[in-house]
Amino acid sequence: MTELDRRSFLGRGLATTGGVLASGVAIETLTAHASWADAGRPAAGAHRAGYGPPARTPSKNTGEELLALPAGFSYVVLGRTGTTMTDGVATPIAHDGMAAFPGTRRHTVRLIRNHEVRTAPGSPVGRVLVEGSARYDELGVAGTTTLEVDLRSGEVLRHFVSLNGTIVNCAGGRMLHDRGWLTCEETTAGVAQGWRRKHGYIFQVPLNGPEPGRPAPSQPLTAMGRFSHEAVAVDPRTGYVYETEDDSGKPDGFYRFRPRDPRDLAAGGVLEMLKVKGADGYDCREGQTMGARIPVEWVRIDDPDPDLENGAQTCTQQGLAKGGAMFNRLEGCWYGDGSIFFNSTSGGDAKNGDAPGADGYREGYGQVWRYVPGRRDGGTLVLVYESPGRRELDSPDNLTFTPRGGIVLCEDDAGSVDADPHPLAPGLVNVNRLIGLDPRRGQPFEFAVNIADDSEFAGACFSPDGSVLFVNQLGDTVSPDPPGRTYAIRGPWHRGPL
């Protein structure tokens, strides 16, 4: 790509979005969500939602047809697996959860990106590693990388490992006051599986501090729980951290962590699981009504760091024993509109055909939930959207709010029986998409299609000025083929709900 092409691609957004947006504008413009979340049904005219049908689109900087996007949208590829970073390390595999922060210089953005590497202990394949750095587990293969991107030129200014010594870093969330990123391990593996240390924790990646060759020390926040973490979201009014759990084949819980000091999560606190008032073991996975307001309370997890190797009860077992509510594959989690929105990837009454789990539950096509904190009680739970089938929405994973009041859902097709082909991606059996939720109509619409391979979308997030949507293509979690990629998508956002 020439310098002129880069500037024309990434430079137009500052004008088309009406100038630089304030960092808090996303929260301030999300009140529209309440109308359709509480109504529990799509509004009239939902067929007009979105930006029009996607079409196969070549990348501006590589020429490869990797995405299908609506007319007027374009993209570049950043941080592909295998490319050499500023610190001399090869870009790892398995690009997953991510967040965008203001950069260190004007017109720049800093991305902190997870790598869900699932190789064997110490394996060099696609590993996140800086030799000699402070690592929690010397055999850890996963972690995070940080990219600094110039929004005008599209150039990656710096790209380096910002945390290593962990495993299976799936998603996470922004720290209080945007001081950095909370990265989550989606596993409870330990010494019995060949690692030096036990895993299943949340780690902090400061926004400022890590530099090329000097990643942040990886220290687990054990009071926040040891379980198969997926994502977190922080309520800026209280500092409470809400956490999702994704342990396939078993009921999962929705948690909150009440820290002693919201500015110092390492100081400890109380871990709790959501419970529906007056209904022990309430099953949120099916039989629910969109828009119904469900009063909830919270039960304490007495042992947030269980010794699983010696038969201790898991955090999930502890919470369910006290009547905690059951979900299925809780994944993406985001704060907005004074609420916490989160996805149940395989919840819902419309089933995908897979064999039932250990407790007999058959997976659905996905749910989007909203938790509204209460001032004098435990708060309220609302089912915002439930997919009636794969065409509308198939297995929502990560999610993000947009500066204009919409929601973007990253699909991670979880079904192994129900094939999910797409006319724009011939030859692929399970195709993943970015699905938008229109706050005015409450209707999902197809925004982007991964036409490169069958890996999931992950880590969707907007630049602070609202001009660029960054999103990852996971690639493979144990090999460099297919590779992980980060996309920067630019277009006429003002023409639609995202």
Side-chain angles (χ1 to χ4, degrees):
M1 179 189 286
T2 67
E3 183 66 13
L4 178 61
D5 289 337
R6 287 194 183 96
R7 290 185 182 277
S8 63
F9 168 69
L10 286 173
R12 283 195 302 267
L14 295 178
T16 59
T17 57
V20 177
L21 301 175
S23 60
V25 71
I27 294 176
E28 294 171 2
T29 60
L30 284 171
T31 54
H33 284 296
S35 60
W36 57 267
D38 293 341
R41 62 183 184 278
H47 62 282
R48 296 193 297 272
Y51 294 85
R56 295 176 68 96
T57 305
S59 163
K60 284 284 188 178
N61 61 339
T62 70
E64 302 169 281
E65 285 191 343
L66 304 170
L67 298 180
L69 296 171
F73 287 86
S74 56
Y75 66 99
V76 295
V77 180
L78 312 172
R80 185 184 188 276
T81 289
T83 56
T84 302
M85 299 187 291
T86 308
D87 55 8
V89 177
T91 302
I93 62 175
H95 298 25
D96 211 299
M98 183 170 64
F101 303 87
T104 56
R105 287 181 277 178
R106 191 179 179 189
H107 302 306
T108 65
V109 64
R110 176 171 283 202
L111 301 173
I112 303 180
R113 180 181 63 196
N114 276 7
H115 293 272
E116 191 187 330
V117 184
R118 290 181 176 268
T119 56
S123 170
V125 178
R127 186 178 183 183
V128 186
L129 174 66
V130 174
E131 293 286 2
S133 60
R135 299 192 297 277
Y136 170 66
D137 190 330
E138 289 296 316
L139 298 180
V141 293
T144 67
T145 54
T146 293
L147 300 83
E148 288 190 7
V149 181
D150 188 319
L151 288 174
R152 298 169 301 176
S153 68
E155 180 184 1
V156 177
L157 304 176
R158 296 197 303 169
H159 187 188
F160 54 91
V161 173
S162 46
L163 186 95
N164 61 166
T166 56
I167 65 174
V168 196
N169 291 70
C170 193
R174 308 169 78 96
M175 294 172 63
L176 183 65
H177 305 316
D178 283 350
R179 293 180 295 113
W181 173 250
L182 294 170
T183 181
C184 299
E185 292 184 315
E186 191 190 13
T187 181
T188 55
V191 176
Q193 289 76 35
W195 306 101
R196 293 275 177 85
R197 309 287 290 274
K198 59 182 185 177
H199 292 271
Y201 300 113
I202 296 175
F203 297 78
Q204 298 181 96
V205 187
L207 181 60
N208 299 311
E211 296 289 338
R214 292 189 294 132
S218 46
Q219 295 296 324
L221 299 168
T222 57
M224 297 184 73
R226 184 189 182 195
F227 55 87
S228 291
H229 287 278
E230 178 70 25
V232 303
V234 179
D235 186 335
R237 302 167 302 179
T238 61
Y240 293 177
V241 184
Y242 293 86
E243 310 174 26
T244 57
E245 178 181 32
D246 180 13
D247 190 359
S248 298
K250 301 175 183 177
D252 295 317
F254 181 60
Y255 300 83
R256 76 175 179 187
F257 177 67
R258 295 189 289 113
R260 292 192 183 96
D261 181 353
R263 296 164 298 181
D264 182 10
L265 298 179
V270 175
L271 182 67
E272 300 168 313
M273 180 187 282
L274 181 141
K275 176 187 182 297
V276 171
K277 277 189 175 181
D280 287 356
Y282 187 86
D283 196 339
C284 297
R285 299 173 295 180
E286 54 191 357
Q288 302 305 300
T289 301
M290 287 195 291
R293 303 180 68 83
I294 306 171
V296 304
E297 56 189 343
W298 296 86
V299 295
R300 181 166 182 158
I301 305 300
D302 297 315
D303 183 9
D305 186 16
D307 184 4
L308 304 179
E309 289 73 15
N310 289 299
Q313 279 199 326
T314 66
C315 289
T316 319
Q317 290 169 335
Q318 294 176 59
L320 295 180
K322 292 185 176 183
M326 295 185 291
F327 297 88
N328 187 261
R329 292 195 64 202
L330 291 187
E331 302 212 28
C333 190
W334 202 270
Y335 174 84
D337 196 19
S339 304
I340 307 296
F341 288 75
F342 59 98
N343 287 334
S344 171
T345 297
S346 301
D349 291 340
K351 306 302 182 182
N352 64 18
D354 278 6
D359 67 343
Y361 173 72
R362 292 182 178 273
E363 293 184 342
Y365 284 102
Q367 301 167 319
V368 182
W369 288 92
R370 177 191 188 192
Y371 166 69
V372 185
R375 294 185 177 181
R376 296 183 177 86
D377 57 18
T380 305
L381 187 66
V382 181
L383 179 61
V384 169
Y385 180 78
E386 180 172 295
S387 176
R390 65 176 175 83
R391 292 185 183 276
E392 289 79 6
L393 175 66
D394 189 352
S395 310
D397 193 315
N398 291 173
L399 80 148
T400 190
F401 283 92
T402 79
R404 286 149 288 272
I407 290 180
V408 176
L409 304 170
C410 299
E411 283 190 335
D412 173 14
D413 185 358
S416 58
V417 174
D418 185 13
D420 192 17
H422 196 287
L424 293 174
L428 295 180
V429 176
N430 290 306
V431 175
N432 289 296
R433 306 167 296 173
L434 289 179
I435 299 294
L437 280 182
D438 187 333
R440 294 183 295 276
R441 301 183 176 95
Q443 186 77 358
F445 62 90
E446 193 173 83
F447 173 73
V449 183
N450 177 7
I451 59 176
D453 56 55
D454 61 1
S455 67
E456 68 189 79
F457 278 112
C461 55
F462 273 85
S463 59
D465 69 4
S467 64
V468 178
L469 171 63
F470 295 98
V471 67
N472 292 324
Q473 176 185 307
L474 180 73
D476 197 75
T477 59
V478 296
S479 78
D481 186 24
R485 297 180 178 93
T486 296
Y487 300 117
I489 302 173
R490 170 82 67 191
W493 302 110
H494 64 286
R495 295 182 185 173
L498 299 183

